[in-house]
Structures are given as C-alpha cells and as structure tokens.
Amino acid sequence: MTAAARKSILVVSRHAHPGSSLPRSALDTALAAAAFDQPVALLFQGEGVLQLLSEQDSRAAGVRNLRKVLDSLPLYEIETLHVDAAAAAAFGLDRDALPAGAEWLDAAGIRALLARHDHVLGF
Amino acid sequence: MALDYALLVLAAPASGHSSLTAVRFARALLARGHSLQRVFFLDNGTLTGLAAAVTPQDEHSPLQQWAQLAEEHQTELILCISSALKRGLLDSTEATRHERPGATVHPAFELGGLGLLVEAAQTADRLVTFG
C-alpha cells in the first residue's frame, strides 16, 4: 500500500458499552487501521458518548473496561476523539471528565468530519 | 464508471433483514458492472458463517445466499477471527488448536484478521456497512 493510495477511515460509535459488543468492535477496527498506519478517526454519537464516562468499573459486569482502551489511543496515534456535543449534553457528560483528546463537535462540525473521510464505518 | 466495492456486515443473520439486504445490495452492484472483492463479517455478523444454521423453508437463508454469491462471483467472505472464535465459529485448524469437537464454519467462509478489513478499505472505492 503506497502513501498515495491511503484512504481515511472514520469509525462512528453509536452504542453504549457494556450493553453491546459493537463499541469494542469499533475500537478494534480503529486500532487495526492505526496498526497498519492508515489514517483513522473516531466519532462518538448517541448513546456511544457514554463510553467516554470517566468512572467506569465494569468488573462486576465481567467485561473489559473500555475507557482504559480509549485512554490508550494516543499510543496508537489516534489523538482526537470526536464527540457529538448535542449527545454529550443530552446525557449530561461533564466536559472536564472526558478523555484528553476529546473534541466536541456541533452539527456543522460533524458534517465536515463526515465529508473529509473516504470511508465512514457505522458501529 | 465501474467501482470496486467492499462490504462490512455487523448484523447477525437471524436478526432482522439487514443480512439479506446486504446480499441484495451485493447482487445489485455486481449486476451494474461494479466489482465486489471482499465481504468482511465482524461482531455478530460473524454468525453468518455458521454452517449448522437452519432457516425455515418458507424464509430466505442468509447462509445459502451468501455462499451462492461467493460461488458465482468469487467474492471472499471473511469472518473476523476474534469475533468468530468468541461465538463458536471455528474452522478445522482452530477447532484442533482450541480442542473443540469440530469445525463449525461453512466452507464458503474463511477466518481472517481485521487487517483484511483495513486492506479492503484501502483498495475499495466504496466500503458500505450493514449493521
């Protein structure tokens, strides 16, 4: 794969963890793209913004804590987590408690984000 | 202009019509002269490859339709290996490795890593998700 052929991927995550396996699959896909040095970005919409909550303890549920994976994304050069601001407000998320790379986007920002990626994968 | 397509299927075969819609979409694009190299099944979508699935006779079988598509058009049907193993979808190699009684994946499907989805994203003009 040559640099000229690289197509950008936007992974859109719309479900809450741990009620669905899709958030994990979305992250695995983003990490795989990053591992192959492909340009990839993440957008959290709808209930998907709940993945960003800081005080997650999924031990009692018996599943992995995804917030830890989100916090490790900069290691894979996924620096920005795009967050639908309207969804975040609807679920009462505290802006200060979001992961370091979180960036709030309004509807126009989301449109621009969708438009500048070659592929949009909806999870 | 003929385009190269790839599909990502997240939907389970027996949950709603999404899997059948994906097959119909695949057939429609091929009928219009586009190409479809690979379909990647991820998450609950990997259940599509379960060889033992039995669909009532008066309903469409996603398994049969995908297998037929692959045979007619040489389309690769790839099941994400980590999603597949969790759901008991094993080829004979994995069945031996994990000491399970036998293979459960239909021969039209292959197990593969997420790298194959990433590769499809790079080579395809269009990558369409069915969730």
Side-chain angles (χ1 to χ4, degrees):
Chain A
M1 287 186 273
T2 63
R6 296 204 312 169
K7 290 183 179 140
S8 55
I9 300 170
L10 177 65
V11 173
V12 184
S13 196
R14 293 185 298 238
H15 287 78
H17 179 78
S20 162
S21 54
L22 286 170
R24 173 79 189 277
S25 292
L27 276 184
D28 285 347
T29 300
L31 288 169
F36 284 95
D37 280 329
Q38 304 305 311
V40 61
L42 276 161
L43 167 64
F44 296 87
Q45 283 194 297
E47 289 183 0
V49 300
L50 292 169
Q51 294 171 50
L52 304 164
L53 283 172
S54 59
E55 288 158 9
Q56 293 185 41
D57 183 353
S58 55
R59 278 174 301 183
V63 294
R64 189 182 287 191
N65 183 345
L66 270 201
R67 172 64 196 260
K68 285 187 179 161
V69 183
L70 289 178
D71 287 329
S72 73
L73 289 177
L75 297 174
Y76 303 93
E77 290 175 22
I78 301 175
E79 308 282 356
T80 310
L81 303 179
H82 304 278
V83 184
D84 180 342
F91 284 101
L93 261 63
D94 178 0
R95 204 178 270 245
D96 298 327
L98 296 186
E103 190 181 299
W104 289 40
L105 292 178
D106 60 10
I110 291 170
R111 269 199 299 280
L113 184 71
L114 292 168
R116 71 169 182 264
H117 285 87
D118 295 306
H119 296 306
V120 177
L121 305 184
F123 288 82
Chain B
M1 185 178 72
L3 297 173
D4 290 327
Y5 277 78
L7 305 186
L8 168 63
V9 178
L10 302 171
S15 303
H17 61 101
S18 195
S19 190
L20 290 170
T21 304
V23 187
R24 277 197 295 271
F25 182 79
R27 289 205 175 273
L29 71 89
L30 289 162
R32 280 162 181 72
H34 303 299
S35 63
L36 178 63
Q37 195 84 50
R38 182 175 294 163
V39 181
F40 195 87
F41 297 85
L42 177 60
D43 205 88
N44 284 336
T46 53
L47 290 164
T48 314
L50 185 62
V54 178
T55 306
Q57 277 187 352
D58 59 347
E59 291 178 27
H60 296 288
S61 156
L63 175 66
Q64 200 179 15
Q65 299 214 7
W66 282 113
Q68 215 166 15
L69 179 90
E71 193 185 313
E72 288 168 24
H73 299 279
Q74 287 75 53
T75 300
E76 294 171 23
L77 306 179
I78 309 288
L79 307 178
C80 170
I81 189 160
S82 59
S83 294
L85 292 184
K86 277 186 196 174
R87 292 168 175 81
L89 287 136
L90 313 170
D91 58 14
S92 52
T93 310
E94 295 302 324
T96 307
R97 192 201 314 272
H98 298 283
E99 299 175 353
R100 293 298 188 269
T104 50
V105 168
H106 188 280
F109 294 78
E110 282 173 59
L111 299 178
L114 273 167
L116 293 176
L117 172 61
V118 176
E119 186 186 65
Q122 293 312 311
T123 54
D125 299 305
R126 299 284 185 273
L127 173 54
V128 184
T129 310
F130 290 83

